[in-house]
């Protein structure tokens, strides 16, 4: 099943969580969601193991809500054979005790529109995401821009009404998330946003038709960029902090300076505590 998932490379996997049936579906004594992590499979459900902004919202993922599968970019489900998935899905393959299913989420990037603001900071982002994760806004292609570290003067997410047409759709998508790159071709009949199901970070950049465009955070904490109407090529790239060589060099210099200062201090301490030879006392007093 893992080989099939990696060959397709079209989305994340969900195989339960520590807080539900996921602990009882195992490979030997190891829960499947932990086993997937050891095989470097992109997944959702192995919660509270990273420090990204999406860590807390992931804890409140609702496996019964199709909208959450879209927000988290989940394309596959691994559940025990003989059981039905918690959301509508298609069976791909049974392999002994395990069954692989696919959801309707086939892309990491979705086209939508911004319909409001969502105030949050790092300490309350998870709790405030609960109402969002039950709102089903993503199914309407509606997203909230996050006003990070702002006062709570914005309305809470509203529950979705009748589904409206998306402002556009993804035509093609090339994922290379392991290398921090995703490219899509999208067609929009009105301006909108391209939302990447990846945790927001300042290291993400976006281009539209080769031109740099600013990124923004949409709730709960995903990467997005605004795009005009028409057919466009959108690329997201992640580049981490590049100053590590300089940082390591600075740390090395600081350590060397500290050790040197300690050595000098020890030499002075030894000289000050050295015994005085006979006849030196008067000479020192005279010199003083």
């Amino acid at each position: 099943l893992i080989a099939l998932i990696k060959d397709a490379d079209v989305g994340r996997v969900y195989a339960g969580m520590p807080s539900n049936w996921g602990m009882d579906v195992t490979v030997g004594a190891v829960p499947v969601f932990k086993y997937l992590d050891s095989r470097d499979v992109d997944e959702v459900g192995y919660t509270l193991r990273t420090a990204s902004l999406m860590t807390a919202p992931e804890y409140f993922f609702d496996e019964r809500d199709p909208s959450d599968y879209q927000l988290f970019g989940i394309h596959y489900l691994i559940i025990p054979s003989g059981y039905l998935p918690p959301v509508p899905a298609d069976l791909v393959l049974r392999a002994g005790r395990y069954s692989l299913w696919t959801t309707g989420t086939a892309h990491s990037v979705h086209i939508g529109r911004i319909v409001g603001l969502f105030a949050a900071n790092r300490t309350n982002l998870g709790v405030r995401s609960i109402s969002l994760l039950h709102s089903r806004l993503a199914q309407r292609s509606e997203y909230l821009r996050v006003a990070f570290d702002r006062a709570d003067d914005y309305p809470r997410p509203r529950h979705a009404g009748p589904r409206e047409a998306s402002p556009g759709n993804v035509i093609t998508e090339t994922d290379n998330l392991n290398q921090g790159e995703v490219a899509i071709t999208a067609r929009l009949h009105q301006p909108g946003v391209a939302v990447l199901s990846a945790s927001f970070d300042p290291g993400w950049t976006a281009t539209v038709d080769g031109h740099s465009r600013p990124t923004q955070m949409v709730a709960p904490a995903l990467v997005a960029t605004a795009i005009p109407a028409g057919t466009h090529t959108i690329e997201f790239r992640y580049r981490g902090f590049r100053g590590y060589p300089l940082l390591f060099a600075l740390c090395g210099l600081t350590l060397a300076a500290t050790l040197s200062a300690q050595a000098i201090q020890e030499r002075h301490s030894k000289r000050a505590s050295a015994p005085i030879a006979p006849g030196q006392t008067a000479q020192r007093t005279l010199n003083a």
Side-chain angles (χ1 to χ4, degrees), residues 6 38 60 68 73 76 78 91 96 134-135 144 161 169 180 187 193 203 210 224 237 239 254 263 266-267 285:
K6 287 191 172 183
S38 72
F60 297 103
D68 286 11
Y76 292 108
I78 295 180
L91 178 64
H134 289 90
S135 69
L144 302 174
N169 61 289
R187 181 180 294 117
V193 291
R237 289 190 177 90
R239 295 293 180 266
T254 303
E266 288 177 1
R267 285 199 297 268
T285 304

Side-chain angles (χ1 to χ4, degrees), residues 33 61 151 157 187 223 226 246 277:
F33 60 79
F61 167 76
R187 181 180 294 117
V223 188
L246 180 60

Side-chain angles (χ1 to χ4, degrees), residues 5-68:
I5 291 167
K6 287 191 172 183
D7 286 343
D9 194 23
V10 292
R12 298 190 177 94
V13 186
Y14 174 68
M17 306 171 71
S19 57
N20 61 18
W21 53 267
M23 291 297 294
D24 300 321
V25 182
T26 61
V27 179
V30 180
V32 170
F33 60 79
K34 290 187 178 182
Y35 184 75
L36 293 175
D37 181 65
S38 72
R39 296 292 301 275
D40 199 27
V41 176
D42 196 1
E43 64 169 323
V44 169
Y46 191 1
T47 54
L48 304 178
R49 73 192 190 282
T50 68
S52 72
L53 287 174
M54 284 296 290
T55 294
E58 182 183 4
Y59 181 80
F60 297 103
F61 167 76
D62 184 355
E63 65 175 25
R64 298 161 299 179
D65 190 340
S67 182
D68 286 11

Side-chain angles (χ1 to χ4, degrees), residues 244-260:
Y244 285 112
L246 180 60
L247 183 61
F248 291 150
L250 180 61
C251 290
L253 288 173
T254 303
L255 178 61
T258 302
L259 294 176
S260 179

Side-chain angles (χ1 to χ4, degrees), residues 153-226:
D153 53 0
Y154 301 113
R156 299 282 178 168
R158 55 186 174 83
H159 286 266
R163 183 168 183 168
E164 298 179 3
S166 169
N169 61 289
V170 176
I171 302 172
T172 63
E173 179 174 323
T174 303
D175 283 1
N176 193 8
L177 276 173
N178 286 336
Q179 301 299 319
E181 296 180 354
V182 178
I184 68 166
T185 301
R187 181 180 294 117
L188 285 80
H189 55 83
Q190 59 181 270
V193 291
V195 181
L196 172 63
S197 293
S199 187
F200 183 87
D201 184 277
W204 281 107
T205 61
T207 61
V208 177
D209 299 328
H211 301 287
S212 179
R213 297 293 293 268
T215 58
Q216 56 183 289
M217 189 194 310
V218 299
L222 304 178
V223 188
T225 191

Side-chain angles (χ1 to χ4, degrees), residues 102-162:
T102 58
T103 70
T105 301
H107 298 291
S108 297
V109 181
H110 296 90
I111 305 302
R113 62 178 70 85
I114 299 296
V115 297
L117 295 174
F118 183 77
N121 57 45
R122 184 176 289 275
T123 64
N124 60 23
L125 180 60
V127 174
R128 293 195 176 186
S129 295
I130 296 175
S131 57
L132 172 77
L133 296 177
H134 289 90
S135 69
R136 302 200 173 188
L137 285 174
Q139 285 186 293
R140 294 180 55 178
S141 302
E142 296 181 345
Y143 296 90
L144 302 174
R145 184 170 61 82
V146 176
F148 201 67
D149 281 338
R150 294 281 297 275
D152 189 6
D153 53 0
Y154 301 113
R156 299 282 178 168
R158 55 186 174 83
H159 286 266

Side-chain angles (χ1 to χ4, degrees), residues 276 279-288:
I276 300 174
Q280 280 190 323
T281 304
Q283 182 66 34
R284 288 189 177 181
T285 304
L286 180 61
N287 290 340

